[in-house]
């Protein structure tokens, strides 16, 4: 019975015993078990910890999230090789606030090293490095390493054991990869900054500011130049303002690249409010880092999916640029979700949960840059269409205007050639056309006659009845003159009450007959004006073309002389010769 009890006791002792890490000539140990204890009061000392037995066993990749607790880790390491070996215990993250390494050998502390940004000294050049402690083990020697960690950033990390060569290799590869990714992001930011100076599109500025905020955050987490040295602890956490800033600038970028304002004023103002909120949060993080970052992480869990939703809504509304935005955000949101879950302690720390966000951001920035480039293409296409429409519209308007001008010109020519009141030709076209007809008549030895009419006592009509009524008399007489005229006849008003009819191929006798017919018709004419009628008479002088006549002036001069004779002999008569 006692034998079985001893065996059972030995079994449980073995079950809860701390696992010893056995080291031989292998250069790297990446997977092993460590023991951990959470000090919720953050008051325990190394002496208190060495006497505590309630450590629990976990893997060497730890994720404890955001916490005010201090975590202690314990590693029991034994050299099972036949020679003395030298190794380095490495933490893969440099963002821990305070790290204390304690090395015990034979229950005696032989080494204590402080590391982390919380131990930066004021005013000196403090290097941001991934914490590491060197230790050596003689043949069959066992040492215990305690690590005390407190952090304002998420408590996630990985413990690795390297020899010198592997340690140097890890640092080279880490720095090279991050330098490449960050350098690529900076190149994209610079490229789009140059485009901004060309286009003046504010979307490019928000892209650049978003890129720089993300780069500042990641370089300060990884100790990459220029965020590898700091004057003090506060200056390190000052860089933490870049975290809410990147969400702010991403929100503003979303608002402009997706042209949310044209889609929905409500969403546009909502995104501006969110962006402004994170700007304020960034300012607050300078004075109260820890609560600001907690608020940022809590709200970002809702904001980032909302931005993705904005991309979907924009795409549904026909914005082709949104497809680039959606692909970028899906990739980045997937990686940032892994990062957040690991940061809050819901997911084990590993390569993908820690560094996937960097790769996701790199792809995101490329897709955002493509979206901006495609936006320029669309804008140029729209500009071309607008210009083409404007050109077509201009051509139509020019043709329309040209037609209007031609019509106006014709109207002006008509107005210029015709008397506005009577509708007859005026003096200028009468003389131009008459002189050509006279030249032809003299050449062809044909006859042309001219009738010169004058309304008798027209001044008395105006004085008695008024100028408006006088105009009606002129219109009535003009209508009589045009009545029964041939196409070749020219009828014109050459002054106030003087009128001319040019009769091609008409001899003197026939012209006199036509004049008499017109005189008689006017004599019987009644011009109706409201409640009364106006009667009037006309006098006429007749002349015909002679060989010595040079132009119409000569014919009108003779006709005018005979008209004057008609006026002197009682008016209302036609005079066709110089003897009355």
């Amino acid at each position: 019975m006692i034998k079985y009890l001893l065996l059972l006791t030995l079994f449980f002792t073995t079950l809860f015993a701390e696992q010893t890490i056995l080291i031989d000539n292998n250069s790297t140990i990446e997977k092993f078990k460590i023991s951990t204890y959470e000090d919720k009061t953050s008051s325990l000392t190394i002496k208190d910890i060495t006497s505590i037995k309630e450590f629990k066993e976990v893997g060497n990749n730890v994720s404890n999230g955001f916490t005010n607790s201090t975590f202690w880790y314990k590693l029991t390491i034994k050299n099972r090789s036949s020679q003395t070996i030298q190794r380095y215990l490495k933490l893969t993250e440099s963002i821990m606030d305070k790290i204390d390494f304690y090395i015990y050998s034979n229950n005696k502390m032989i080494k204590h090293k402080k590391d982390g940004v919380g131990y930066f000294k004021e005013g000196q050049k403090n290097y941001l490095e991934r914490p590491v402690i060197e230790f050596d083990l003689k043949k069959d020697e066992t040492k215990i390493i305690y690590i005390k960690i407190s952090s304002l950033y998420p408590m996630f990390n990985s413990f690795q054991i390297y020899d010198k060569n592997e340690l140097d290799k890890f640092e080279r590869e880490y720095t090279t990869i991050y330098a490449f990714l960050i350098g690529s992001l900076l190149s994209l930011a610079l490229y789009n900054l140059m485009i901004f100076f060309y286009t003046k599109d504010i979307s490019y500025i928000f892209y650049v500011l978003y890129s720089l905020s993300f780069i500042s955050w990641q370089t300060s987490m990884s100790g990459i130049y220029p965020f590898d040295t700091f004057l003090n602890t506060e200056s390190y956490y000052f860089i933490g303002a870049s975290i809410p800033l990147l969400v702010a600038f991403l929100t503003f970028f979303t608002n402009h690249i997706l042209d949310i304002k044209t889609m929905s004023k409500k969403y546009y103002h909502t995104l501006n409010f969110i962006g402004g909120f994170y700007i304020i949060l960034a300012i607050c993080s300078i004075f109260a880092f820890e609560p600001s970052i907690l608020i940022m992480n809590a709200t970002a869990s809702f904001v980032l999916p909302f931005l993705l939703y904005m991309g979907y809504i924009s795409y549904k509304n026909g914005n082709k640029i949104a497809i680039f935005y959606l692909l970028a955000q899906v990739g980045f949101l997937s990686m940032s979700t892994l990062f957040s879950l690991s940061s809050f302690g819901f997911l084990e720390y590993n390569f993908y949960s820690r560094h996937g966000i960097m790769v996701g951001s790199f792809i995101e920035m490329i897709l955002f840059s493509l979206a901006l480039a495609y936006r320029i293409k669309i804008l140029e296409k729209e500009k071309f269409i607008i210009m083409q429409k404007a050109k077509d519209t201009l051509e139509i308007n020019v043709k329309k205007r040209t037609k209007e001008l031609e019509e106006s010109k014709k109207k002006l020519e008509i107005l210029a050639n015709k008397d506005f009141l009577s509708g007859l030709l005026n003096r200028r076209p009468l003389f131009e056309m008459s002189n050509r007809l006279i030249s032809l008549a003299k050449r062809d030895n044909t006859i042309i006659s001219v009738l010169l009419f004058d309304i008798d006592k027209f001044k008395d009509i105006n004085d008695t009845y008024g100028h408006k009524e006088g105009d009606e008399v002129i219109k009535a007489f003009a209508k009589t003159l045009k009545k029964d005229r041939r196409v070749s006849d020219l009828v014109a008003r050459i002054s106030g009450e003087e009128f001319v009819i040019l009769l091609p191929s008409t001899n003197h006798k026939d012209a006199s007959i036509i004049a008499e017919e017109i005189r008689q018709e006017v004599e019987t004419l009644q011009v109706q004006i409201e409640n009364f009628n106006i009667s009037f008479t006309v006098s006429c002088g007749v002349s015909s073309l002679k060989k010595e006549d040079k132009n119409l002036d000569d014919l009108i001069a003779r006709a005018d002389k005979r008209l004057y004779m008609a006026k002197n002999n009682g008016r209302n008569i036609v005079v066709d010769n110089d003897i009355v």
Side-chain angles (χ1 to χ4, degrees):
M1 183 67 179
I2 295 174
K3 179 179 179 181
Y4 290 114
L5 288 173
L6 289 173
L7 288 173
L8 186 62
T9 302
L10 181 62
F11 170 77
F12 279 105
T13 303
T14 305
L15 181 64
F16 292 102
E18 295 176 354
Q19 184 174 357
T20 299
I21 302 171
L22 301 176
I23 296 181
D24 50 25
N25 291 325
N26 291 332
S27 59
T28 301
I29 303 177
E30 294 181 339
K31 288 289 183 181
F32 51 87
K33 296 292 183 179
I34 61 174
S35 300
T36 182
Y37 179 82
E38 182 179 2
D39 176 11
K40 295 182 178 180
T41 64
S42 296
S43 61
L44 298 179
T45 65
I46 184 62
K47 289 184 179 180
D48 299 325
I49 288 298
T50 54
S51 60
I52 290 177
K53 304 299 182 183
E54 291 84 6
F55 277 80
K56 68 176 182 180
E57 193 175 80
V58 295
N60 62 314
N61 296 323
V62 295
S63 298
N64 296 314
F66 289 91
T67 176
N68 291 322
S69 299
T70 297
F71 277 82
W72 290 84
Y73 300 94
K74 180 181 178 182
L75 292 82
T76 302
I77 306 173
K78 181 178 180 179
N79 180 9
R80 65 178 183 181
S81 69
S82 58
Q83 57 188 9
T84 299
I85 58 175
Q86 184 184 48
R87 293 291 183 270
Y88 297 85
L89 177 63
K90 180 77 172 179
L91 276 68
T92 54
E93 296 300 324
S94 57
I95 59 174
M96 302 298 103
D97 189 60
K98 291 183 178 180
I99 305 102
D100 288 86
F101 293 99
Y102 302 91
I103 298 180
Y104 275 74
S105 179
N106 297 322
N107 295 321
K108 182 181 178 181
M109 185 173 67
I110 60 173
K111 191 173 184 178
H112 175 208
K113 180 186 177 185
K114 295 181 178 182
D115 215 328
V117 298
Y119 285 124
F120 282 174
K121 293 181 180 180
E122 184 73 31
Q124 75 176 37
K125 203 172 186 180
N126 299 286
Y127 289 95
L128 181 64
E129 299 174 329
R130 277 165 287 282
V132 63
I133 188 169
E134 178 186 356
F135 65 92
D136 56 50
L137 294 168
K138 296 179 183 178
K139 179 184 178 182
D140 295 326
E141 183 182 8
T142 299
K143 287 183 178 178
I144 300 174
I145 302 178
Y146 292 94
I147 306 102
K148 176 186 177 183
I149 301 178
S150 60
S151 178
L152 300 179
Y153 274 121
M155 187 84 73
F156 67 162
N157 222 313
S158 179
F159 297 90
Q160 304 290 329
I161 298 175
Y162 296 116
D163 65 7
K164 186 66 169 76
N165 290 332
E166 287 299 315
L167 178 67
D168 294 340
K169 180 181 177 182
F170 170 84
E171 288 294 340
R172 285 195 306 270
E173 291 179 348
Y174 190 101
T175 303
T176 300
I177 292 172
Y178 262 72
F180 169 75
L181 292 174
I182 291 170
S184 299
L185 293 179
L186 280 173
S187 298
L188 287 171
L190 182 61
Y191 167 74
N192 284 284
L193 181 62
M194 294 300 102
I195 296 179
F196 164 74
F197 290 124
Y198 171 72
T199 63
K200 306 301 181 184
D201 185 346
I202 197 171
S203 302
Y204 290 91
I205 283 294
F206 288 131
Y207 173 92
V208 172
L209 292 174
Y210 172 57
S211 300
L212 294 179
S213 298
F214 183 84
I215 291 168
S216 299
W217 173 38
Q218 286 299 309
T219 51
S220 65
M221 285 186 68
S222 305
I224 304 296
Y225 181 83
F227 300 119
D228 56 347
T229 57
F230 297 88
L231 294 176
N232 50 39
T233 301
E234 289 72 23
S235 63
Y236 173 77
Y237 286 113
F238 177 81
I239 304 301
S242 61
I243 304 174
L245 281 178
L246 73 89
V247 182
F249 294 134
L250 175 60
T251 304
F252 291 136
F253 175 76
T254 301
N255 220 357
H256 286 80
I257 188 69
L258 298 180
D259 203 11
I260 299 296
K261 189 174 184 179
T262 60
M263 183 181 74
S264 168
K265 291 287 183 66
K266 180 180 70 175
Y267 285 141
Y268 173 76
H269 293 305
T270 299
L271 290 177
N272 280 337
F273 172 80
I274 293 171
F277 169 76
Y278 278 98
I279 292 288
I280 295 172
L281 202 61
I283 296 172
C284 292
S285 70
I286 299 173
F287 307 100
F289 176 77
E290 190 172 6
S292 298
I293 295 302
L294 286 173
I295 293 172
M296 197 282 300
N297 279 285
T299 54
S301 302
F302 301 98
V303 171
L304 293 179
F306 179 69
L307 297 181
L308 187 65
Y309 175 70
M310 287 293 95
Y312 171 74
I313 293 296
S314 181
Y315 177 72
K316 291 289 287 183
N317 277 271
N319 188 351
K320 295 180 181 180
I321 298 172
I323 192 66
F324 293 98
Y325 181 87
L326 284 171
L327 291 173
Q329 282 298 84
V330 167
F332 179 72
L333 192 59
S334 300
M335 294 297 101
S336 62
T337 299
L338 290 178
F339 183 84
S340 296
L341 290 173
S342 182
S343 298
F344 280 96
F346 299 118
L347 188 67
E348 182 184 76
Y349 174 95
N350 56 46
F351 177 84
Y352 300 103
S353 63
R354 169 60 182 91
H355 303 292
I357 190 171
M358 191 68 186
V359 177
S361 177
F362 178 68
I363 296 172
E364 178 193 44
M365 294 300 180
I366 292 175
L367 289 171
F368 279 170
S369 188
L370 289 173
L372 288 168
Y374 187 62
R375 188 165 185 253
I376 291 178
K377 183 179 179 181
I378 290 177
L379 291 174
E380 287 181 346
K381 185 177 180 181
E382 290 177 350
K383 183 179 178 181
F384 175 78
I385 292 172
I386 292 171
M387 290 179 65
Q388 190 61 43
K389 287 182 177 179
K391 182 181 177 182
D392 294 341
T393 303
L394 181 61
E395 288 180 355
I396 292 171
N397 290 336
V398 168
K399 289 179 180 178
K400 182 179 178 182
R401 184 59 178 162
T402 301
K403 185 178 179 181
E404 290 175 351
L405 289 172
E406 288 176 351
E407 291 176 352
S408 298
K409 183 181 177 182
K410 290 178 181 178
K411 290 178 180 179
L412 288 172
E413 287 176 351
I414 292 172
L415 291 174
N417 291 332
K418 287 193 175 183
D419 174 58
F420 75 95
L421 181 60
S422 64
L424 303 178
L425 293 174
N426 59 30
R427 189 179 188 87
R428 183 178 64 81
L430 171 68
F431 276 74
E432 288 177 356
M433 291 185 282
S434 297
N435 289 331
R436 287 198 295 270
L437 290 173
I438 289 171
S439 296
L440 289 172
K442 292 181 72 175
R443 186 192 68 182
D444 298 336
N445 197 25
T446 58
I447 191 66
I448 287 180
S449 296
V450 168
L451 307 181
L452 178 61
F453 286 94
D454 184 88
I455 299 175
D456 296 330
K457 298 183 179 180
F458 183 70
K459 183 177 182 301
D460 293 344
I461 295 175
N462 280 335
D463 292 341
T464 303
Y465 300 103
H467 290 279
K468 183 178 179 182
E469 286 71 14
D471 290 345
E472 293 301 320
V473 170
I474 288 174
K475 291 178 183 178
F477 182 50
K479 185 177 180 181
T480 302
L481 292 178
K482 288 189 291 184
K483 185 179 178 182
D484 298 329
R485 295 281 71 76
R486 300 172 301 177
V487 176
S488 59
D489 296 343
L490 300 181
V491 184
R493 180 187 179 198
I494 60 173
S495 67
E497 62 270 19
E498 283 191 334
F499 298 82
V500 170
I501 300 178
L502 188 141
L503 302 169
S505 303
T506 304
N507 59 36
H508 194 77
K509 181 180 179 182
D510 290 339
S512 297
I513 294 171
I514 292 171
E516 183 61 26
E517 290 175 351
I518 293 173
R519 185 198 67 75
Q520 291 178 8
E521 184 175 351
V522 170
E523 191 176 27
T524 61
L525 186 65
Q526 297 286 320
V527 180
Q528 294 182 353
I529 307 294
E530 295 181 355
N531 298 325
F532 58 90
N533 296 327
I534 299 176
S535 298
F536 65 98
T537 61
V538 296
S539 299
C540 179
V542 182
S543 68
S544 298
L545 183 65
K546 295 181 178 181
K547 289 183 179 181
E548 62 270 19
D549 292 335
K550 296 180 180 178
N551 49 43
L552 182 62
D553 288 327
D554 295 330
L555 278 80
I556 288 181
R558 284 199 304 278
D560 185 57
K561 183 178 178 181
R562 291 165 184 171
L563 174 62
Y564 183 76
M565 293 171 66
K567 292 284 188 181
N568 288 334
N569 286 278
R571 299 182 175 86
N572 192 24
I573 59 175
V574 174
V575 178
D576 57 4
N577 54 64
D578 294 336
I579 301 173
V580 177

